[in-house]
Structures are given as C-alpha cells and as structure tokens.
Amino acid sequence: MEKREALYAGKAKSVYRTDDPNRFVLVFRDDTSAFDGEKMEQLARKGMVNNCFNAFIMGKLEEAGIPTHFVEKLSPTESLVKKLDMKPVECVIRNYAAGSLCRRLGVEEGQALNPPTFELFLKDDALHDPMINESLAVTFGWASADDLATMKSLTYRVNEVLKTLFDDAGMLLVDYKLEFGLSDGQIVLGDEFSPDGCRIWDKETRKKMDKDRFRQGLGSVIETYEEVGSRLGIKFD
C-alpha cells in the first residue's frame, strides 16, 4: 500500500490517499484541541496512544458485528481505513449527565440516564456543532431517514458493547460521539473512538479519564489515556 498526497487535515488527524482509491491512511497526530480549536497544544505520544486505542475498540466492535471503516494498523500513528462518503452528523449517546447536557438542561453532573439519551449534532465548527433533529437532517440533505435509522441503531449497539467493556475494567462510559459514512451503499462507522471523543470516569472515584482533563486543565492527559487503555488490555507501541 503506497501512501500518497494529503487529502485532509483536521484538528488532530490527517487523511492521505493511497494507490487504492478505496483506501485511505489515517494519521493520528499529537495535536490536541478543545472549544472548537480555541485551545490547542501538542501532547507527546498522543497520536500513538489514540491510534492504538482506536484500533483496539474498532476490533471489538467488528467482533460484535458492527461494520467499521478500520482495516488495519500500519504503524504506531497510522491506520488503513476504507474510503467513506461521510455524513455531516454526529450521533451522541449519554449514559450519565455531563458536559453540554448539564449546561442546557440544568441537570446535575453524574446523574444516571435510564434509558440512555440519543442526540444528533451537525458537524460544523463554525456553528459550534449545533444540536439538530432527524427532520432537519432529512430536509437539508445531511442524511436520509433510512440512513439515520441505521446510524441510531448502530450507535445503540456500540453502547451495548462498550458499556460492558468499560464496566468490566472498572470504568463508566459516560457519553460518546460517533460519525458514520457510506461504503458501497452501507452505513459504516467511521472516524475514531478514543478518549478524545468520549467521556470516561473511574467507577469508584468518578475521576475524569478523558479529554476533559485537557479541557479543564486537570493535567496528566496522556498518562490517564494510557491508564484507561491498560485497564482495557490495550498494548501501546
């Protein structure tokens, strides 16, 4: 597989074309951002940690029958993925109240949500990823009703797999966001799953073990990511 020119560079990852038009190389960088890019730093080892973390999680989801774009890990910071026609919609599951939910509704952080909530957000940094609904997504052509139904179903299936995985390791999967795209007409999980895109707390102490450590200036960001991975059984390069 020959890595070719850069196609896209986001806040923490870059995408490169390959000699196969249906395969991309996803590069995890050490860049870290919060608040739509207003706070940015480089954290040593972050690219490696998130690449290994994502490969592990995507493997677990594939084993559970959830289709993903992940093909294989190529290097400590690079993975081979399928080309997807991405939907500009983020699917969010919340098992416990935190973050914007608390700000919007005035609920107490840490309140268990039973059943878990499901929300949609438009992926648009300039608009600060506004919350949307299925009607808006269909009307503006961001996703079809059928695709949204599949995305919702897969997001809940991911929750069933990962809540148990984290619980068995002494952690709470508080919330997370997923992105999906089309591959040969099939909705497939894309982007990444790492502590950058979810909230994870220690089950006993409620210690924050995700990117809130960076957002809130709590320190030991990568060391804590590695602790999460170690509990899950991830071997880092």
Side-chain angles (χ1 to χ4, degrees), residues 23-43:
R23 295 289 185 268
F24 291 151
V25 173
L26 189 62
V27 179
F28 290 76
R29 308 193 312 268
D30 288 343
D31 299 312
T32 308
S33 70
F35 313 119
D36 295 323
E38 292 179 11
K39 181 179 181 180
M40 298 192 70
E41 289 182 25
Q42 280 215 330
L43 299 176

Side-chain angles (χ1 to χ4, degrees), residues 185-198:
Q186 179 190 24
I187 286 290
V188 169
L189 176 63
D191 196 43
E192 67 170 299
F193 195 102
S194 77
D196 271 7
C198 62

Side-chain angles (χ1 to χ4, degrees), residues 73 104 116 183:
K73 187 157 76 79
R104 279 187 278 123
S183 174

Side-chain angles (χ1 to χ4, degrees), residues 103-146:
R103 294 192 295 274
R104 279 187 278 123
L105 302 181
V107 297
E108 183 179 356
E109 183 180 72
Q111 177 181 331
L113 304 174
N114 188 21
T117 64
F118 175 83
E119 299 169 337
L120 297 174
F121 294 84
L122 178 65
K123 189 172 172 62
D124 190 319
D125 284 345
L127 297 177
H128 305 291
D129 297 339
M131 189 176 181
I132 60 172
N133 58 34
E134 294 180 14
S135 176
L136 288 170
V138 172
T139 294
F140 288 103
W142 298 323
S144 71
D146 286 346

